[in-house]
Amino acid sequence: MMGEFDAIRPYADAEVPAVLARLLSDDAFLNILTQFRFPRLASSLGWLLKPLIAYRLRAKFRDVHSVADLQVHVEGYVDRTIERATDGVTYTGIEHLQKGKAYLFLANHRDIVMDPAFVNYAVYHAGLETPRIAIGDNLLQKPFVSDLMRLNKSFIVHRSLTGRREKLAAYQLLSAYINHSILNDGQSIWIAQAEGRAKDGDDRTDSAILKMFHMSRKDEPFAEVIDSLRLIPVSISYEYDPCDLAKARELYIRATTGSYTKAQGEDDLSIAQGITGYKGRVHIHFNEQARHNLEDSKLLATEVDREILTGYRLFPVHYLAYAMWAERDPALNVPAASELFPAQELEKAEAEWKRRLDSCPAEQQPYLVLQYATPVRNQYRIKAGLAL
C-alpha cells in the first residue's frame, strides 16, 4: 500500500533488512567504506577488500531487523567519532523533556551531519527516543546516501524544486508529515531553524519554516498548532568549527565577487570535515517549550532567536575573536576573555585561535573572526535588552 508520505519518510522497521542488503551490494558505498578503512590499500587492492568488507558487515548486521536495532549497532561508532573529534560533549535542559512525549526540536545550524547527531547523542544518552531528522535533498545525490540517511530516521526536505507550485506542494507535504509524526506516530522531529548553515555565526530563525509547520492545519489558529507540536528551541555550540576556514573563504568570495558557486563534491567534503574535524568542546542546550501564544510567525521567530542565542555557550575563542573584531560595539560592555576564564584554559584557546588565524589567508581573516565574534554580540545585545 502506498502511503502519502512514502516519497519523504524514513524507512520503517519492515524495510530495514532489504535496504541493508541493497546497501551492502552498492559499489559506490563499498568503495567509500574501503577508502575509509584502508586508505593506503584501497586503490590497489580494492577489488579484494570490497567483498571482504561486505561479508563482514553482512555478518555484523545479520540480527538487525529494526531501526532501533540499527541505532544500537551504530551508536558505538557515533560515540567513538565524537570522542575522537571533541574534548567532550555536555548538555543542559534535558529535564525539560518528558519520556513518551514527542517534540519539535528547532535548532541553530552550523554543521550538516553533526548538529542532529549531537542532539541524537544527548537524547539517546538521557534514555529518550531519538528524533526523526529533516535533511535537504541537495545532500542526497547518491542513492546510497539517501538509503543510509533514511535508515537512520531521516526524512527528505525537497529543496531543489524550482517551480512555485511544486515548492508549495512539497512544503504542504512536509508540514503534514511533521504534524503526523508528532501527533499520530508520537515521534519527535529535528529540523534546522533556517535552510543552510549559518556560515557567518549569526543564528536566525526563518519565519517561513515556522509558517510551514502551520500550512497543513490552516483552519486552526497558528499559536494552537505550534503549542500542539511542543516546539523546543535547541542551541548547539561548537568551541571550534572544523569548517571555519572553508566558510571564511566562501564569505570572502561572496563579498568580493557577489556570488559563490560550490565545486563538485564540496558538500561531501564539508560532511567529512564536519564529522572528523576537531571541534574542541561541544554543548547542547534544550530550551523550555516555546509557549508564548504568539499569533504570528515573525514574533515567534524573534522569541525562538532569543532562546537559541541565550542558550548558546560562549567559549574563550569567542571572546578572543570579539576583542579583535572591527565591528565590536563598546556600549555592550563585553568583558575580556581573561576576566572570565582561568589562565590555563585561556592559554590553550589562544594557541588554537592563533593556529587557525595563521592558516587563514590575510584577506579572509575578517570572515573567520566574524564567525566566532557574532554569537558574542548577539548574546550581549539580548542581555542589554536591545533588539537583535
Side-chain angles (χ1 to χ4, degrees):
M1 187 184 108
M2 277 291 284
E4 62 172 315
F5 304 123
D6 281 359
I8 64 169
R9 65 167 176 78
Y11 291 129
D13 288 344
E15 297 165 292
V16 168
V19 177
L20 273 176
R22 181 165 73 223
L23 266 175
L24 295 177
S25 54
D26 185 302
D27 204 53
F29 177 57
L30 291 172
N31 262 334
I32 281 191
L33 283 184
T34 309
Q35 281 166 2
F36 185 70
R37 288 282 288 113
F38 305 102
R40 290 200 183 85
L41 302 174
S43 50
S44 54
L45 290 175
W47 59 275
L48 177 66
L49 292 166
K50 263 194 300 192
L52 284 174
I53 286 175
Y55 175 79
R56 280 196 57 190
L57 286 173
R58 274 190 202 104
K60 189 172 172 50
F61 291 113
R62 190 173 291 138
D63 58 344
V64 169
H65 301 292
S66 69
V67 172
D69 289 347
L70 186 70
Q71 286 205 325
V72 168
H73 271 274
V74 171
E75 197 254 333
Y77 293 110
V78 173
D79 282 4
R80 271 201 300 283
T81 305
I82 283 172
E83 279 150 24
R84 238 183 266 149
T86 72
D87 290 337
V89 183
T90 51
Y91 42 91
T92 47
I94 206 103
E95 68 278 0
H96 299 145
L97 311 177
Q98 283 175 32
K99 228 181 183 128
K101 275 194 175 172
Y103 296 95
L104 174 55
F105 296 115
L106 186 71
N108 60 326
H109 191 26
R110 300 298 184 84
D111 187 87
I112 297 167
V113 169
M114 293 315 291
D115 289 352
F118 281 123
V119 170
N120 261 356
Y121 175 90
V123 167
Y124 183 92
H125 285 285
L128 302 167
E129 202 169 339
T130 54
R132 290 170 171 172
I133 295 161
I135 183 163
D137 61 352
N138 53 313
L139 303 171
L140 306 176
Q141 276 132 12
K142 298 184 180 76
F144 80 82
V145 179
S146 180
D147 273 347
L148 263 182
M149 298 308 285
R150 290 176 77 185
L151 268 180
N152 197 26
K153 295 176 81 166
S154 292
F155 60 96
I156 298 167
V157 177
H158 287 294
R159 287 202 180 127
S160 44
L161 301 170
T162 46
R164 194 173 177 276
R165 189 171 293 169
E166 289 92 340
K167 265 187 174 167
L168 206 62
Y171 257 180
Q172 186 73 33
L173 182 67
L174 185 61
S175 176
Y177 178 70
I178 287 170
N179 278 274
H180 181 88
S181 178
I182 290 171
L183 302 173
N184 296 53
D185 298 345
Q187 292 278 329
S188 294
I189 294 284
W190 176 94
I191 192 166
Q193 67 181 160
E195 194 178 308
R197 295 168 291 162
K199 299 191 180 88
D200 56 0
D202 197 9
D203 301 306
R204 297 300 167 106
T205 306
D206 180 358
S207 59
I209 285 181
L210 302 176
K211 271 197 193 120
M212 178 270 291
F213 299 145
H214 180 234
M215 262 178 103
S216 57
R217 295 166 64 189
K218 268 272 195 284
D219 51 345
E220 299 173 54
F222 177 78
E224 274 175 37
V225 171
I226 296 299
D227 203 41
S228 73
L229 295 175
R230 291 190 279 274
L231 190 152
I232 303 276
V234 181
S235 317
I236 303 170
S237 328
Y238 297 91
E239 185 169 13
Y240 301 104
D241 181 342
C243 300
D244 54 8
L245 294 177
K247 289 177 181 176
R249 180 177 164 270
E250 178 179 332
L251 291 168
Y252 169 74
I253 292 170
R254 268 186 202 284
T256 49
T257 68
S259 68
Y260 179 81
T261 311
K262 278 184 187 172
Q264 185 76 36
E266 192 169 327
D267 275 337
D268 298 346
L269 211 65
S270 292
I271 287 172
Q273 185 64 24
I275 294 170
T276 58
Y278 175 65
K279 298 164 199 65
R281 292 166 289 178
V282 177
H283 185 72
I284 298 103
H285 178 66
F286 296 90
N287 291 281
E288 285 187 61
Q289 188 182 328
R291 295 180 185 278
H292 298 281
N293 292 330
L294 298 167
E295 294 297 338
D296 152 320
S297 60
K298 286 209 164 53
L299 288 171
L300 181 61
T302 306
E303 187 53 45
V304 168
D305 285 352
R306 286 176 57 81
E307 299 277 345
I308 288 177
L309 297 169
T310 306
Y312 192 93
R313 176 158 295 181
L314 299 173
F315 293 102
V317 65
H318 294 104
Y319 288 92
L320 295 174
Y322 188 81
M324 60 188 293
W325 191 29
E327 306 285 308
R328 68 183 182 277
D329 178 358
L332 289 179
N333 296 322
V334 174
S338 56
E339 294 172 44
L340 297 170
F341 302 99
Q344 205 177 350
E345 187 182 347
L346 192 54
E347 206 176 305
K348 189 182 172 191
E350 282 170 340
E352 179 62 27
W353 179 231
K354 183 181 185 311
R355 195 184 67 72
R356 283 168 190 265
L357 282 169
D358 290 347
S359 317
C360 186
E363 69 279 7
Q364 295 173 20
Q365 283 178 11
Y367 299 96
L368 182 65
V369 170
L370 171 78
Q371 291 171 55
Y372 288 97
T374 303
V376 180
R377 180 206 61 194
N378 286 345
Q379 206 172 93
Y380 279 84
R381 283 189 73 85
I382 292 169
K383 281 180 182 171
L386 298 169
L388 284 165

